[in-house]
Amino acid sequence: MRILVTGSAGFIGTVVGEVLEAAGHEVVRVDLMLPMAHGAGEPPPGTHRLDVREADSWGELLHGVDAVCHQAAVVGAGVRVGDLPDYAAHNDLGTAALLAAMYDAGVRRLVLASSMVVYGEGRYRCPEHGDQAPLPRAVEALEAGDFDNHCPACGRPLDWALVDETARLDPRSSYAASKVAQEHYTAAWVRQAEARAVALRYHNVYGPGMPRDTPYSGVAAMFRSSLERGEPPQVFEDGGQMRDFVHVADVARANLAALRAVLDDATPPYAAYNVASGHPVTILDVARLVGAGTEHPVEPEVTGGYRLGDVRHVVASPERATADLGFTAKVHPDQGLPAFATAPLRA
């Protein structure tokens, strides 16, 4: 099959393209090479330097394509309010323009890179009062070192539980809002174009080729950079935030599985799936696991700091991806995170 991959020169897009080619697909690579992600670098050989916001001007590029794997996006939580236009332009408008161009070219199959950030806070449960949907944490509580979400009925700290794909969407950052918009545009396109699409809600992706220290890097890369400087990794809040860290090789395998499903009409016309390792870990333990892969581990420093828009816990169930797509992650964080400490990164 002929598969077009947007964001093909990025951290995830690079590995997705390699996995698709290894499976026998012809890969058409497209990337804008945004400076915030690539610096001043030139596109890799065979990559078309194009903007998804201008997909209607791609000419023949979409002709003969069987499916699109849409990885292109401005990523990160959003460092400042001034980032909002970039997220809206590249993620929202870019996806809408791509979908319109796909329709005009007769391409009716899509795999969309979404994110677990669409959920906002994860799923919470009070032992006495059952499931609860907490409001955003108050600044006053965060300043006082109270990082937990509390039951509105009794006030006790809430326990986290696994989130499945039926959970409400509640974005808490500019990036999260743009990912929800991408999913909504895709769902509307599926209905209007009589098409099929799968949205993959990635959890915290890490692995070789991850960008180094930038405001948009993942926390695992930031921990690694601190360790390379001989400094203790800086862990926000109390380090007890629960997350799921999934290796980029597994994310690429999930894309391959999703493409097979949409090409074979093996899923509903539009469906979303969590892509996770299935092995939750605290942020403090992430810092320790990355440190364990170095010659001279440095104990992390729990700072008590926080970022507005961050959520306390979000851990998803990968069961639906296993049942519908046949996808199960292979890399356990206990092995993948220490190996990440010495993996090659991009500048």
Side-chain angles (χ1 to χ4, degrees), residues 76-98:
V79 177
R80 56 191 179 87
V81 173
D83 290 334
L84 279 164
D86 279 340
Y87 285 101
H90 290 282
N91 299 0
D92 299 20
L93 176 59
T95 299
L98 174 64

Side-chain angles (χ1 to χ4, degrees), residues 212-228:
R212 279 192 178 274
D213 237 355
T214 80
Y216 304 93
S217 292
V219 68
M222 293 181 176
F223 289 161
R224 171 181 156 147
S225 295
S226 296
L227 290 161
E228 289 176 340

Side-chain angles (χ1 to χ4, degrees), residues 34-213:
L34 278 173
M36 71 178 68
H38 301 282
E42 289 298 313
T47 301
H48 302 272
R49 189 167 193 165
L50 297 166
D51 191 330
V52 291
R53 295 172 295 180
E54 301 170 359
D56 60 348
S57 67
W58 287 4
E60 302 294 315
L61 204 59
L62 278 166
H63 290 186
V65 165
D66 296 290
V68 171
C69 192
H70 184 32
Q71 307 293 320
V74 174
V75 300
V79 177
R80 56 191 179 87
V81 173
D83 290 334
L84 279 164
D86 279 340
Y87 285 101
H90 290 282
N91 299 0
D92 299 20
L93 176 59
T95 299
L98 174 64
L99 293 170
M102 289 173 62
Y103 178 78
D104 290 342
V107 183
R108 298 292 190 270
R109 299 293 183 269
L110 174 74
V111 173
L112 170 70
S114 187
S115 171
M116 55 86 177
V117 297
V118 300
Y119 297 123
E121 288 282 0
R123 183 182 171 199
Y124 292 88
R125 179 174 292 158
C126 173
E128 182 178 352
H129 299 100
D131 284 352
Q132 300 292 328
L135 296 171
R137 294 176 294 171
V139 172
E140 295 78 13
L142 296 170
E143 288 284 352
D146 178 9
F147 304 115
D148 283 314
N149 289 299
H150 294 268
C151 176
C154 65
R156 68 196 299 176
L158 294 170
D159 298 327
W160 63 269
L162 293 176
V163 180
D164 68 21
E165 291 83 352
T166 64
R168 66 179 185 142
L169 305 185
D170 184 21
R172 302 286 177 94
S173 69
S174 47
Y175 173 60
S178 73
K179 283 294 168 182
V180 170
Q182 285 184 307
E183 288 203 25
H184 286 170
Y185 279 120
T186 298
W189 171 79
V190 164
R191 290 190 292 271
Q192 293 175 319
E194 296 183 359
R196 286 186 177 271
V198 162
L200 299 177
R201 292 172 179 167
Y202 302 159
H203 283 248
N204 296 269
V205 187
Y206 70 98
M210 195 173 188
R212 279 192 178 274
D213 237 355

Side-chain angles (χ1 to χ4, degrees), residues 31 33 55 73 80 89 100 120 139 141 206 219 230 234 248 279 284 293 327 334 336 345:
D31 201 298
M33 303 298 293
R80 56 191 179 87
V139 172
Y206 70 98
V219 68
Q234 303 292 292
V248 66
H279 300 282
L284 179 57
F327 167 75
D334 286 353
L345 301 185

